Amino acid sequence: MKLAGISRVVAAHEVMLTRSDIRVGRSLDNDVVIEHPSVSGLHAHISFDGKDYVLEDRGSEQGTRVNSEKFKRFVLRRNDLVQFGDVRFRFSSPSDGVIPEAGSVSLYVRRQPKLTTGHKKAMLLGGAAAALLVLVVVAWLIGGESVGTWMGLTGRKAGVDSPEVLKARLVAAVKLLDEDRLVEARTELEQIRGQFADLKSPVAVQAQNALDRIRREELARESIDRVLTLRAKGRADEAWTLMQEVLPQLPPDTHARTQLESLQGPLRDEAAGAHVALARRALEAGDRKTAAAEAEAALKIDGANAEAKKLRATATYVPGAPGQPDEEVVVEYVERRRGGGIDFSGDTGLVDVRGKAAAPASRGRLPQEAVEQVVSSRSAEIRWCYEQGLAREPNLVGKVVAEWTVGENGRVQNARAVHSSLKDDEVTSCILKKIGRWSFPPPSGGDVVVSYPFAFEPKL
């Protein structure tokens, strides 16, 4: 990509953006130098992260505009109109398809004044100064570093801070960075780096490394902002997925990574909990396939989630198949219920009613799936009976094995309790009365006897 000059002062110039880090301003140490009164010493910064060109204003007096609007930071798009002070460029792709060498980006853009007598004198004086500089360099090479030090030729520009002062400023700037004061740290570090003609000087290199660290911190913060935005919108699953993609890419020395890692536990619980809730609703609606898929998704996020394991076992249960879980953890019907004078945990209680059908007996045939479907659809009645017992005894726990006959017309006959460890006869009697009113699909070949255990337990 390139910046093509539009304003008259730069109309004949094109800046090829072939570096990942480009400084724009009036000072001579910038990569793109624009000598115009509306342009600040260090006016703006253009960076490339491998995907986007990002334009950032560096506290300029006249501001940086994109498409006539002021911005502190902007991701550039093709044909954007970029304005530094009063000088305008068009952000576009190279028209001839040829990308110059990397060094060509350091373009010096300035107005060419007419040569007056004063200018000519200045040029003569400049030539004399250049000749003197050559003599000094020769003397330095012959006579050691003393001459060079005396003339300020040790990597720093003439008239700048001493090495001791620059080192102290660098330490203070790094401390600002450690305190997460990025704007102040960047300003100080850019001023330190700008005082070196030789950017390979140790202090200049350290300043550049600190600036690179600021850039990494900013990229990390952009990522965490995206994660927090998704979480705030209730899209915890997407936020978790994005976090897993972003976290390994973040350098360990960033504040944003530390913040993102602190959110990992709570966000994992939220994302897994969202899938568990969907699995529960699907199971209560009789959609075992969806329930199994949602429970599996929850376990991919949190492999230790006990409730997701239980829901997956329930959803994948096949009556009569070998290797099935114990009946105490299969075919679970759980529902949140408010009010009614029953208070298990605040104003919300969880009642767990569980069981599975034994293989139907006697001369007729009735698929176990049909039995499970009817019991599932009428589970609220069984739960109601149990809740009446909980109102009398909050710690009521036990199991009732009910047995009944399904006649040829599908009606229940002779409902009875063949076993009960539930120490409340009223609950057992209530359950049998409810079962006695149920209807099943008419069995083929005669009557069918069904045995079904119900396990009851209050969940706090």
Side-chain angles (χ1 to χ4, degrees), residues 79-117:
N79 293 325
D80 280 342
L81 181 64
V82 181
Q83 185 171 336
F84 307 105
D86 296 332
V87 182
R88 294 180 298 161
F89 292 83
R90 177 75 66 184
F91 179 73
S92 58
S93 59
S95 59
D96 56 2
V98 177
I99 301 177
E101 296 179 357
S104 65
V105 74
S106 297
L107 178 69
Y108 184 64
V109 181
R110 58 186 303 175
R111 291 178 294 178
Q112 300 296 329
K114 296 181 180 179
L115 292 178
T116 62
T117 303

Side-chain angles (χ1 to χ4, degrees), residues 205-261:
V205 170
Q206 292 178 53
Q208 183 59 54
N209 290 341
L211 286 168
D212 292 341
R213 179 181 163 191
I214 291 176
R215 180 59 182 160
R216 293 195 302 269
E217 185 74 43
E218 290 173 338
L219 292 174
R221 291 188 179 190
E222 291 175 11
S223 299
I224 197 172
D225 285 345
R226 291 164 59 199
V227 170
L228 293 175
T229 299
L230 288 172
R231 187 188 186 195
K233 292 180 178 179
R235 294 155 63 182
D237 187 31
E238 295 179 53
W240 172 260
T241 301
L242 178 61
M243 175 185 283
Q244 300 315 297
E245 295 175 357
V246 168
L247 200 56
Q249 303 175 16
L250 298 182
D253 61 343
T254 57
H255 294 278
R257 182 185 179 111
T258 302
Q259 184 180 358
L260 204 58
E261 288 175 338

